[in-house]
DNA sequence: TATCTTTGTAACCGAATGGTAACATCATAA
DNA sequence: TTATGATGTTACCATTCGGTTACAAAGATA
């Protein structure tokens, strides 16, 4: 609106970060790119966020993916009764996969985690790791499954869903499955159900 | 050895590519870096390989990962009898995981596949994709499993192993499992066995 | 109105990138 | 021995990167 407005300018810069992640990928996320995309001098990034990492921290704080991603899981666990747990568990992982496929911003952050040790990204990873462990413990507790390797097996499956979602950006086919079509994605979600049903 | 030797020089440049992948990661793989690592003028890269992509193509041709990675699988399939197939199948995936964890060069190429569409990397991906499909068909054929979703379920598992191997570079813990210790890696390989046994 | 702080931009810096041109050196065939 | 093509290096180019300095414009305050 106004010509000189700190709050608005900061928001424009933060929005530019998200735009670049979606439109250009995290590898093109830099101070110059953000300033250009926001149409604002990069000097203000240093002035308002001190640092490029400061900008990223504010971005992460605003978006707090790791918490949101956990919330759906937590809600589910709170409302799940023991008897409907087994039938609902596959849905949980299916939702996780669908979210990952659709949310390109989150996808880029996961891709980022996978190849750089940026302190900001690292912190997000640690927080999400803690939440993940708590969730798994709760799942194991509720399921009362005789399966001792819940943590390990779910790790493999979750990792698989991450990889498939990320891979869909750079390739169509993986192991004969088209990762970019609804049909291919449904083959994956059906497989999730099959695996979980046989496992627990 | 000799002061002026084209063949030797070309080899030094190709070796430098592998060194950079292992020591610095694919994101630092560039013409200047290769020349510097090889201790050879970058002009010779253009002269001998025409292009940076030409250098990468020669590197890929020399290493032909996608074929090697398939070979262990193919050998296994050729020697497997129907009755020992079920018990041997987990070993196959476990070996795949162990190789990925150890072979940092291959790891970098998989990481590369995951975030860029370099034509050279893309070609490698396509060749490996074709081999993968053939292998999966063979597995399904031999297993004669009533499980209709072999392709889909193995896709999830293989993808999971890829992700865990790649993630181990940037983080220690994933879902409460230490990806960098032998103990953590063994928890994964045991989980592979559990999953496959229950699936097929 | 005059002064001082905040918000903003333009212009520059050094380092690193991919790429090229000019030149030096060696091996060998005439 | 001399000329020629292959092998190799140095020096440069334009561009882009993160980062800084200097300065202008707007708002607030006295």
């Amino acid at each position: 609106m106004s010509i000189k407005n700190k709050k608005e300018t900061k928001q424009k810069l933060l929005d530019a970060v998200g735009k670049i992640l979606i439109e250009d990928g995290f590898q093109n996320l830099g101070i110059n790119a953000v300033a250009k995309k926001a149409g604002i001098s990069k000097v203000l990034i240093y002035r308002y966020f001190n640092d490029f990492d400061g900008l990223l921290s504010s971005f992460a704080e605003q978006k707090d993916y790791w918490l949101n991603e956990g919330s759906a899981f937590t809600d589910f666990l709170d409302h799940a009764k023991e008897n409907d747990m087994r039938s609902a568990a596959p849905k949980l992982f299916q939702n996780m996969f669908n979210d990952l496929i659709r949310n390109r911003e989150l996808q880029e952050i996961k891709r980022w985690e996978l190849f750089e040790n940026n302190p900001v990204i690292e912190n997000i990873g640690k927080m999400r790791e803690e939440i993940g462990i708590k969730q798994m413990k709760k799942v194991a507790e509720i399921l009362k499954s005789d399966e001792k390797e819940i943590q390990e097996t779910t790790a493999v499956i979750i990792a698989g869903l991450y990889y498939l979602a990320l891979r869909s950006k750079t390739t169509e086919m993986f192991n004969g499955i088209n990762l970019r079509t609804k049909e291919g994605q449904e083959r994956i979600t059906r497989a999730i159900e099959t695996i979980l049903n046989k496992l627990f």
Side-chain angles (χ1 to χ4, degrees), chain A residues 8-199:
Chain A
E8 199 178 320
T9 299
K10 286 180 76 173
Q11 193 54 50
K12 276 184 190 168
L13 290 168
L14 290 170
D15 292 344
V17 172
K19 273 188 193 169
I20 290 175
L21 282 181
I22 293 173
E23 297 169 12
D24 310 307
F26 80 92
Q27 64 269 39
N28 295 308
L29 186 60
I31 270 214
N32 290 316
V34 170
K36 191 176 181 182
K37 183 81 81 177
I40 288 170
S41 168
K42 65 178 170 180
V43 179
L44 298 188
I45 295 176
Y46 291 103
R47 198 173 289 167
Y48 290 153
F49 300 97
N50 183 48
D51 218 33
F52 187 62
D53 279 351
L55 176 64
L56 292 183
S57 295
S58 292
F59 176 79
E61 199 174 333
Q62 181 170 287
K63 297 281 181 174
D64 59 17
Y65 278 122
W66 57 101
L67 295 177
N68 285 337
E69 200 180 345
S71 69
F73 206 11
T74 311
D75 284 355
F76 166 81
L77 291 174
D78 289 344
H79 294 85
K81 296 165 188 172
E82 295 189 20
N83 49 349
D84 65 355
M85 185 72 189
R86 264 175 188 72
S87 65
K91 274 228 166 69
L92 195 68
F93 287 89
Q94 288 167 344
N95 285 341
M96 187 186 290
F97 180 65
N98 286 329
D99 286 350
L100 261 166
I101 284 280
R102 279 161 189 72
N103 190 340
R104 299 259 303 146
E105 225 175 61
L106 175 57
Q107 235 178 82
E108 282 307 309
I109 288 182
K110 299 307 297 178
R111 203 188 315 276
W112 199 348
E113 274 181 9
L114 215 48
F115 110 118
E116 205 183 21
N117 263 333
N118 184 292
V120 178
I121 300 295
E122 206 172 351
N123 278 338
I124 297 178
K126 276 181 188 166
M127 292 174 84
R128 296 181 70 258
E129 171 70 16
E130 284 173 21
I131 294 172
I133 294 177
K134 281 181 189 167
Q135 289 170 344
M136 279 305 129
K137 278 185 182 164
K138 240 181 177 178
V139 169
E141 191 180 299
I142 297 178
L143 269 176
K144 291 195 180 83
S145 170
D146 55 349
E147 181 52 67
K148 300 280 183 193
E149 294 168 338
I150 289 184
Q151 206 175 33
E152 290 82 354
T153 51
T154 54
V156 173
I157 294 167
I158 292 172
L161 302 183
Y162 278 155
Y163 188 89
L164 292 174
L166 297 187
R167 194 74 175 94
S168 71
K169 187 186 181 184
T170 50
T171 197
E172 266 203 310
M173 306 299 295
F174 182 84
N175 211 51
I177 300 170
N178 190 324
L179 300 175
R180 291 182 184 160
T181 63
K182 200 178 175 187
E183 181 262 343
Q185 290 161 9
E186 280 170 357
R187 285 173 68 186
I188 300 295
T189 52
R190 277 198 300 274
I192 294 171
E193 203 165 353
T194 301
I195 294 174
L196 289 181
N197 284 338
K198 295 208 176 184
L199 265 183

